Amino acid sequence: MKLATLDDGSTDGRLVVVSPDAERALPAGQDWPTLQSALDRWSEAEPELRRVARLLDMGEGPPLPAGSILAPLPRAWQWLDGSAYRSHGELMERLFGTAPPPAGRPLMYQGLSHQFLSGTADVPVLREEDGIDFEGEFGVVTDFVPMGVTPDEAMGHIKLVVQINDWSLRTLAPVEMKTGFGWVQAKPACSIAPFAVTPDALGEFWQDGRVHLPLIVHWNGKPFGAPLGGAMGFGFHDLIAHAASTRSLCAGTIIGSGTVSNDDYRTVGSSCIAERRGIEMLDEGAPRTSYMKFQDTVRMEATLPDGSPLFGPIDQRVVAA
Amino acid sequence: MKLATLDDGSTDGRLVVVSPDAERALPAGQDWPTLQSALDRWSEAEPELRRVARLLDMGEGPPLPAGSILAPLPRAWQWLDGSAYRSHGELMERLFGTAPPPAGRPLMYQGLSHQFLSGTADVPVLREEDGIDFEGEFGVVTDFVPMGVTPDEAMGHIKLVVQINDWSLRTLAPVEMKTGFGWVQAKPACSIAPFAVTPDALGEFWQDGRVHLPLIVHWNGKPFGAPLGGAMGFGFHDLIAHAASTRSLCAGTIIGSGTVSNDDYRTVGSSCIAERRGIEMLDEGAPRTSYMKFQDTVRMEATLPDGSPLFGPIDQRVVAA
């Protein structure tokens, strides 16, 4: 099942169920005006939303008004972003001179969640010199998760899978990292691709709490990378259990994978510029590729292997704020 | 003006205006059912709330039902906690072996905001060995703050002042700090004292974006500290400008001061246990005081010098989750 949030002028938009081919949509119904309202009572909402999805499967539903799609959650009460791809971590340690993390513990920070941009929104930034970078990620959305949940139990709390562009300001990142307090200035609002999907929509490509599909990234129209999502060192269920070790997670918590990255990055490319700069440091002794300029674009999409749409594309332009 | 949120069974409660002596309250009115709704349109809400406050000044209003007070914001879209007291930072660096921060930059992290406990709620923790500690802080609540705001402009966006207990799990804190990603496990939900007050309610004790009052802390009924709030190295307006450097802040953003601490900590005491342990390391070579046990209590209050109530007390017990 595919869900989207349409712009109706309100902050949280209006929830619709979308056909698998992403061509048509039907309202989720008055009991579930927003995705947050459905997540708050997911066990009641899911069967009703799946009933709407069956109507779409039978050909019902008007065309989806593509231009009016917001992020599935235009804001959320909690966004916890992991960094679960070890090859990404190693390149960042090289680039920024930071220490490797303790073994056996996922990396995670709490980020800005009061705004998630749509997958096609312009991205306003004040200063090019802050080092504007995209970061292609997968993410999951949970229902309520009790404190102390195990990874096995956490798997059942993964209700939706999403695709995220975690915008980053790289000049500010190492300064904030060295304080130990994590990132505030280096992490403005993320963007989320149009469709949040239930794990079953991924079929065999959802396994071990991981998305086993490549994330295809283009920067200014040129291929930049296509790393596989399955290479996470910790699955999303592990990340949820880590996050819920000392807190319960509210319904609608979004958990991020961190930048999708593979060990054979020289072959598959990257899903952020900083990683390419790390590779250049390894290969050429210094980074050569600059970060994004105003008017630069980035496109990221993970489809099913037959090319059929899944999350829909993120396709954005950076603009001067 | 004093505001509080009463428990009406809903997550966000019901906004009331409270008399200066904290004895009586009147509903904020149907246009402002919750504090968040008032902050979303503060320029319209404030005159109406002040009209209700004048009725209270004239003796109107039934007794405030003290047992049913929630945190002023039982949840918020954003909680950014600073660490603006340098004497606290120095003691933590001593205790945890961390590096001092870069000069001229406030320290800040983004924390859990989907739940704020009331000032009298029991605090559920899974494990005593996680190092349970209180942290007495002041905080401010903003309306919408545009990206790139200056400290001077930021002063005008401080709409309410609050008093916070930033619960911390000290065994986990240095492990997370060393990753550079900041705290997730080490920072469960904070608590907020019953009353959010407009800056004018502090009179001359609100100056330079700082609360110039002592925060009186008792642990298990015994005096523990009374540091002055005015010793912040950065004012709240500086912290807001720092936070808004690369993002806009949504209405209802809560900004924390960090643990209130003074240079003469041996005289005035502390507002967290970790700081006392840092002092013991300095004076005796090793920390001696243990963190909290289940059933321990902590009380924190900042009144006006004549003893009249301001934020109301935080008075909580730690319990096994």
Side-chain angles (χ1 to χ4, degrees):
Chain A
M1 181 167 61
K2 241 185 187 68
L3 301 173
T5 295
L6 295 189
D7 187 359
D8 65 350
S10 71
T11 306
D12 297 308
R14 184 169 57 85
L15 181 63
V16 293
V17 186
V18 178
S19 61
D21 63 3
E23 297 290 339
R24 290 166 295 112
L26 280 168
Q30 61 185 15
D31 285 343
W32 320 107
T34 65
L35 180 51
Q36 181 66 52
S37 71
L39 289 160
D40 283 337
R41 295 189 291 143
W42 186 253
S43 61
E44 292 167 67
E46 188 182 9
E48 294 192 26
L49 299 176
R50 288 200 183 268
R51 192 177 49 75
V52 177
R54 282 195 295 275
L55 298 177
L56 288 159
D57 289 343
M58 293 187 290
E60 287 191 38
L64 174 70
S68 68
I69 302 179
L70 302 177
L73 285 168
R75 57 181 173 174
W77 293 106
Q78 187 166 241
W79 156 237
L80 295 169
D81 194 12
S83 181
Y85 295 91
R86 196 62 209 114
S87 53
H88 175 74
E90 284 165 7
L91 288 168
M92 293 304 98
E93 291 151 22
R94 173 78 54 161
L95 185 64
F96 295 126
T98 47
R105 269 183 77 86
L107 289 167
M108 184 174 284
Y109 70 95
Q110 179 144 11
L112 188 169
S113 67
H114 68 268
Q115 183 186 29
F116 286 94
L117 300 174
S118 83
T120 55
D122 284 349
V123 182
V125 179
L126 278 173
R127 295 166 293 268
E128 277 182 348
E129 59 265 33
D130 286 348
I132 307 164
D133 200 359
F134 47 85
E135 280 194 25
E137 306 198 0
F138 294 106
V140 297
V141 186
T142 72
D143 62 353
F144 174 82
V145 180
M147 178 162 68
V149 75
T150 66
D152 275 357
E153 292 162 351
M155 197 71 91
H157 291 286
I158 298 173
K159 300 308 179 188
L160 296 168
V161 186
V162 293
Q163 186 208 313
I164 295 169
N165 187 356
D166 173 34
W167 288 99
S168 292
L169 300 171
R170 298 293 189 187
T171 313
L172 305 167
V175 181
E176 293 194 316
M177 252 185 121
K178 276 164 195 166
T179 66
F181 278 53
W183 302 288
V184 175
Q185 294 184 341
K187 293 285 185 180
C190 299
S191 308
I192 311 185
F195 310 121
V197 304
T198 47
D200 61 281
L202 280 79
E204 64 185 301
F205 305 102
W206 174 254
Q207 269 180 41
D208 308 318
R210 292 159 169 88
V211 178
H212 291 269
L213 290 169
L215 182 64
I216 316 284
V217 180
H218 289 77
W219 177 18
N220 291 331
K222 294 188 193 119
F224 191 78
L228 280 161
M232 290 168 81
F234 296 91
F236 281 111
H237 55 309
D238 298 311
L239 298 181
I240 292 169
H242 177 84
S245 169
T246 60
R247 65 175 70 181
S248 56
L249 310 184
C250 60
T253 291
I254 310 177
I255 305 274
S257 66
T259 309
V260 179
S261 176
N262 294 168
D263 284 336
D264 56 341
Y265 38 71
R266 288 186 185 80
T267 312
V268 300
S270 300
S271 63
C272 73
I273 300 171
E275 195 167 299
R276 178 174 284 187
R277 288 167 59 89
I279 298 165
E280 290 165 353
M281 274 191 76
L282 279 175
D283 291 352
E284 307 169 41
R288 187 172 47 78
T289 306
S290 299
Y291 291 114
M292 296 179 91
K293 306 290 180 200
F294 293 145
Q295 301 304 320
D296 274 15
T297 61
V298 66
R299 191 183 199 284
M300 305 176 166
E301 186 170 10
T303 66
L304 291 170
D306 66 1
S308 60
L310 195 55
F311 310 104
I314 284 177
D315 198 348
Q316 300 188 275
R317 182 179 302 274
V318 174
V319 299
Chain B
M1 180 168 61
K2 242 185 186 69
L3 302 173
T5 295
L6 296 190
D7 187 358
D8 66 350
S10 71
T11 307
D12 297 308
R14 185 170 56 86
L15 182 62
V16 294
V17 186
V18 178
S19 61
D21 62 4
E23 297 288 339
R24 288 165 297 111
L26 280 168
Q30 61 186 14
D31 286 344
W32 320 107
T34 64
L35 180 52
Q36 182 65 51
S37 71
L39 289 160
D40 284 338
R41 298 188 289 143
W42 185 253
S43 60
E44 294 167 67
E46 186 182 8
E48 294 193 27
L49 299 176
R50 287 197 185 272
R51 191 177 50 73
V52 177
R54 283 194 295 278
L55 298 178
L56 289 159
D57 288 344
M58 292 187 292
E60 288 191 35
L64 174 69
S68 68
I69 302 178
L70 302 177
L73 287 168
R75 55 181 176 175
W77 294 105
Q78 187 166 241
W79 156 238
L80 295 168
D81 194 12
S83 181
Y85 295 89
R86 197 59 209 117
S87 52
H88 174 74
E90 285 165 7
L91 288 169
M92 293 304 98
E93 290 151 23
R94 173 76 58 160
L95 185 63
F96 295 125
T98 48
R105 270 184 76 86
L107 289 167
M108 185 175 283
Y109 70 95
Q110 179 144 11
L112 188 170
S113 67
H114 68 267
Q115 182 186 30
F116 286 95
L117 300 173
S118 83
T120 54
D122 284 348
V123 181
V125 179
L126 277 174
R127 294 167 292 268
E128 276 182 348
E129 58 265 34
D130 286 347
I132 307 164
D133 199 359
F134 47 84
E135 279 194 27
E137 305 198 2
F138 294 107
V140 298
V141 185
T142 72
D143 63 354
F144 174 83
V145 180
M147 178 162 67
V149 75
T150 66
D152 275 358
E153 292 163 351
M155 197 72 91
H157 291 287
I158 297 172
K159 299 308 176 188
L160 296 169
V161 186
V162 292
Q163 185 209 311
I164 295 168
N165 186 357
D166 173 33
W167 288 99
S168 292
L169 300 171
R170 299 294 188 187
T171 313
L172 303 168
V175 181
E176 293 195 315
M177 253 186 121
K178 277 165 194 164
T179 66
F181 278 51
W183 301 287
V184 174
Q185 294 184 341
K187 293 286 186 179
C190 299
S191 309
I192 311 184
F195 310 121
V197 305
T198 48
D200 61 279
L202 280 78
E204 64 186 302
F205 304 102
W206 174 254
Q207 271 181 41
D208 310 318
R210 292 161 169 87
V211 177
H212 292 269
L213 290 169
L215 182 63
I216 315 284
V217 180
H218 289 77
W219 178 16
N220 290 332
K222 295 190 191 113
F224 191 78
L228 279 160
M232 288 169 82
F234 297 91
F236 280 111
H237 55 309
D238 299 310
L239 297 182
I240 292 169
H242 177 84
S245 169
T246 61
R247 64 176 70 179
S248 57
L249 310 185
C250 59
T253 291
I254 311 177
I255 305 272
S257 66
T259 310
V260 179
S261 175
N262 295 168
D263 284 337
D264 57 341
Y265 38 72
R266 288 188 186 79
T267 313
V268 300
S270 300
S271 64
C272 72
I273 299 170
E275 195 167 299
R276 176 172 286 186
R277 287 167 59 90
I279 297 165
E280 290 165 352
M281 273 191 76
L282 280 175
D283 292 352
E284 307 169 40
R288 187 172 47 80
T289 305
S290 300
Y291 291 114
M292 295 179 92
K293 305 290 179 198
F294 293 145
Q295 301 304 322
D296 274 14
T297 62
V298 65
R299 191 182 198 284
M300 306 176 165
E301 186 169 12
T303 65
L304 290 170
D306 65 2
S308 59
L310 195 54
F311 309 104
I314 284 177
D315 198 347
Q316 298 188 275
R317 181 180 303 272
V318 174
V319 298

